[in-house]
Amino acid sequence: MATAGQLNTFADPDYIPGTVHLVDLNGNVDGAHASSSGKRDIILVPSPTADPDDPLNWSYRRKLLATACMCVFTLMTGIAGSAIASVLVPISEQTGLTINTLNQGTGYLFLLSGWSCLIWQPLAIQYGKRPIYLFSILGTMCMMIWAPYTKTNGQWIGSKIMQGFFAAPVETLCQVSMTDIWYTHERGFFIGVYALFLAGSNFLAPIFSGKIAESMGWRWVLYWCAIFCAIGFVFIFFLMEETNYGNRHGTRTSNSSTSSPLSKSASVTKTDEKSAPDSSSLEDASPQPYHHKTYFQKLALYQPAGLHKPNRLLSMSFRPLYLLLTFPVLLYAGFLYGSSLIIFNILNATASPILSAAPYNFSSTSVGLAYFAPLVGVMIAATYTGPFGDTFIRKLARSRARKTGTGILEAEDRLWLFSASLVLLPLGLVLWGVGAAAGVHWFGLIFAMTIIACTHAIGLALAVGYAIDSYRDLAAEATVAVILVRNSMGFAVGYGIGPWIDGMGLRGTFGLAAGLGVFYVLTVGVFLWCGKGLRGKSRGRYVREVEGVRRDGLVR
């Protein structure tokens, strides 16, 4: 049987980051396999250790609770970031701030929520993710209390900058936490869930904010966001545990897909059916004493092991910038994500002005209710990129196994799902912008919002998944690199969307946006063709970076 030391490791001259052996039809690989029905030929990637407190070995219920905590954090923080989308006009009328200034504030929020990850992500990896989640949602709550008292352009922009700083972990930390507890073959579903809550929160918030603004005033929109953040803080404090695990590359099972040259072959017992469906109950060749954490140990605000690691905060802060300059795949994933964010920003910046004006004359409540449409679009996208996407890549790997004998999964395999956006994206943008300019029936605009939101969420999930699948052992830094590109692009559009529409009008702006959208989706074909080659050329740099991280004890 093939073992971890023989297949797909750093020591293997044919090793390529992001290419993993996922399917073992004939049972030739001596490693941990999925246990659930219909998936027993799936190799567990990454390979779990023998430690029951390894997040990969957690029970399914424990994994779901951790995922629920991430979703609550994402929901509450996301709501705070987008609640004003449907009440821009009332805020402008009552404060004297222009719509352009309000949109520029949102642009600064996105910019800071990207670049601040260079601070938060290293702290999370060095000292623990749990305290960062708590501090982030607490800081966001404080900003929601301050923002209603802003009266000048400078105060408004300043509040958005600080909000972006505190909310930054929502952009990258959840995706990395997902990789801590879920395997490659199931990760797409849960990143799809994260995308549902992230994009969904952006469209859910305006639904209730319109009604609140109409009945209680726009300031209470932000006060309620603070209340939601407080509820999220309590939920996370008592239920979220740390997912950092510092012994990933010590004792582990044998697995052909592992990316570590330091992995040791170990025997694997049959999976305990009471544990996570795709986890294994493991036995190491030289057993170590493992102890289950108590409830209060799980609630610790820091991990003692984190205090004994070498302090590498500075190098971790600069590593995402280095990866952007040297790993073209990450730069491209950032471009994909940034392009999808631009779609969202254009919709959010124009929804209130378009629907509030003639011939539609929607009230704040009606504008908010219109956001049910993009919420439906996000749900469709989550189903498409999640359950359908995971099934698609498994079938693709099984097809390769039958044809060539190797059930290989390539990082680019999920990019095929962008094909839906090739039709939906230009359709939605033209119907929204050109349709509004022509005074199309309001239902046409609602349908367009559904389509645009769907393509936004598809881009979100697939871009993040591509980056993580390509360089899983540097997932923390890779996601930060992607977000830097994404949010810089979002800032530029958020800052300039007002002048763009003023200069070209709705018809010209959205006609151009539709053409650019088709171009952005077509670029996926280039990386389906050359992505694996680019990953192969980055092998040496990737191995050096991962080995440096492991030497410092900052393993994922």
Side-chain angles (χ1 to χ4, degrees):
M1 282 190 174
T3 65
Q6 296 170 323
L7 289 173
N8 224 23
T9 66
F10 288 176
D12 182 353
D14 295 326
Y15 171 76
I16 297 176
T19 298
V20 297
H21 193 164
L22 185 68
V23 173
D24 176 28
L25 287 179
N26 300 318
N28 294 326
V29 177
D30 180 17
H33 289 59
S35 61
S36 47
S37 178
K39 300 179 184 176
R40 298 182 190 278
D41 58 344
I42 300 294
I43 302 168
L44 297 184
V45 183
S47 184
T49 68
D51 185 355
D53 270 326
D54 178 352
L56 290 173
N57 289 330
W58 288 355
S59 68
Y60 194 59
R61 178 179 297 179
R62 191 174 174 186
K63 288 185 176 186
L64 286 181
L65 179 59
T67 302
C69 289
M70 298 173 211
C71 291
V72 167
F73 170 79
T74 301
L75 181 65
M76 302 310 182
T77 310
I79 284 175
S82 56
I84 66 169
S86 63
V87 293
L88 293 176
V89 173
I91 293 176
S92 178
E93 291 173 349
Q94 295 178 37
T95 63
L97 299 173
T98 66
I99 296 291
N100 278 349
T101 297
L102 298 177
N103 283 330
Q104 287 169 9
T106 302
Y108 280 109
L109 186 155
F110 278 111
L111 183 68
L112 266 293
S113 64
W115 286 87
S116 297
C117 292
L118 294 174
I119 298 173
W120 293 117
Q121 200 83 332
L123 287 171
I125 299 303
Q126 181 82 41
Y127 299 115
K129 299 184 179 75
R130 173 177 155 81
I132 301 304
Y133 280 117
L134 292 170
F135 193 74
S136 171
I137 199 168
L138 190 63
T140 302
M141 180 191 72
C142 293
M143 292 304 101
M144 291 297 96
I145 296 173
W146 171 35
Y149 295 96
T150 58
K151 298 179 180 179
T152 67
N153 289 1
Q155 290 174 349
W156 179 263
I157 297 296
S159 72
K160 294 293 109 177
I161 288 174
M162 291 302 297
Q163 184 182 344
F165 172 77
F166 283 113
V170 77
E171 302 283 11
T172 58
L173 202 53
C174 295
Q175 299 99 307
V176 178
S177 297
M178 292 290 186
T179 68
D180 291 338
I181 62 178
W182 299 107
Y183 295 103
T184 294
H185 71 280
E186 56 193 3
R187 191 185 302 146
F189 173 79
F190 290 100
I191 287 183
V193 171
Y194 159 75
L196 171 63
F197 276 83
L198 181 62
S201 67
N202 294 330
F203 297 122
L204 177 64
I207 294 174
F208 68 78
S209 62
K211 183 62 177 177
I212 292 173
E214 207 168 76
S215 59
M216 303 176 71
W218 71 267
R219 288 179 174 83
W220 268 99
V221 171
L222 302 183
Y223 292 146
W224 273 107
C225 288
I227 293 171
F228 292 148
C229 286
I231 294 171
F233 177 85
V234 173
F235 187 91
I236 292 170
F237 184 86
F238 287 105
L239 296 177
M240 174 178 270
E241 57 181 302
E242 182 59 59
T243 62
N244 276 6
Y245 185 73
N247 194 33
R248 173 73 59 231
H249 300 281
T251 302
R252 63 160 70 217
T253 67
S254 170
N255 191 328
S256 70
S257 315
T258 182
S259 57
S260 171
L262 306 177
S263 300
K264 296 180 180 179
S265 181
S267 61
V268 185
T269 65
K270 291 185 178 180
T271 303
D272 181 358
E273 296 293 340
K274 295 182 181 180
S275 67
D278 294 330
S279 299
S280 291
S281 185
L282 308 171
E283 238 176 61
D284 186 70
S286 52
Q288 301 179 26
Y290 293 112
H291 304 284
H292 288 282
K293 292 179 181 178
T294 66
Y295 173 71
F296 290 104
Q297 287 175 328
K298 294 176 183 178
L299 292 187
L301 291 179
Y302 68 91
Q303 298 297 306
L307 301 178
H308 302 295
K309 298 175 185 176
N311 190 314
R312 295 291 184 266
L313 292 177
L314 189 61
S315 63
M316 281 193 288
S317 294
F318 283 103
R319 185 173 288 123
L321 300 175
Y322 168 75
L323 296 182
L324 271 182
L325 296 174
T326 56
F327 289 61
V329 164
L330 295 182
L331 185 62
Y332 178 66
F335 166 76
L336 288 178
Y337 203 171
S339 299
S340 71
L341 177 64
I342 288 172
I343 298 166
F344 164 74
N345 282 353
I346 291 175
L347 176 62
N348 249 11
T350 56
S352 183
I354 287 176
L355 295 176
S356 299
Y360 308 108
N361 300 315
F362 278 24
S363 65
S364 294
T365 299
S366 297
V367 173
L369 291 175
Y371 274 86
F372 270 115
L375 193 59
V376 171
V378 169
M379 292 178 182
I380 294 171
T383 303
Y384 177 66
T385 61
F388 177 80
D390 282 344
T391 301
F392 173 77
I393 65 164
R394 287 196 299 268
K395 287 187 175 180
L396 205 55
R398 287 190 178 112
S399 175
R400 293 189 181 115
R402 285 190 288 268
K403 291 178 180 178
T404 66
T406 58
I408 295 298
L409 171 70
E410 301 290 358
E412 288 76 24
D413 286 348
R414 289 187 193 271
L415 295 183
W416 285 104
L417 299 175
F418 265 110
S419 54
S421 296
L422 188 60
V423 176
L424 295 177
L425 181 54
L427 173 63
L429 289 173
V430 169
L431 185 56
W432 173 256
V434 179
V440 71
H441 190 275
W442 63 265
F443 183 78
L445 299 188
I446 300 302
F447 184 64
M449 292 176 80
T450 305
I451 297 174
I452 293 172
C454 181
T455 57
H456 161 61
I458 288 174
L460 186 162
L462 297 183
V464 171
Y466 184 38
I468 292 175
D469 287 345
S470 295
Y471 302 109
R472 194 267 167 198
D473 289 305
L474 293 177
E477 293 87 348
T479 52
V480 172
V482 168
I483 293 301
L484 290 179
V485 178
R486 187 206 83 154
N487 284 26
S488 296
M489 291 173 65
F491 167 73
V493 172
Y495 197 87
I497 183 64
W500 186 12
I501 294 175
D502 291 342
M504 295 186 66
L506 288 174
R507 193 184 302 270
T509 297
F510 283 91
L512 177 60
L516 293 175
V518 171
F519 169 77
Y520 123 71
V521 176
L522 288 176
T523 62
V524 169
V526 177
F527 274 75
L528 286 172
W529 171 61
C530 70
K532 182 175 182 178
L534 292 173
R535 287 187 285 112
K537 291 179 181 178
S538 69
R539 175 184 183 274
R541 296 187 297 275
Y542 177 66
V543 170
R544 286 193 298 272
E545 290 296 316
V546 174
E547 290 180 339
V549 167
R550 292 176 185 170
R551 279 196 303 270
D552 293 337
L554 301 173
V555 292
R556 312 293 190 258

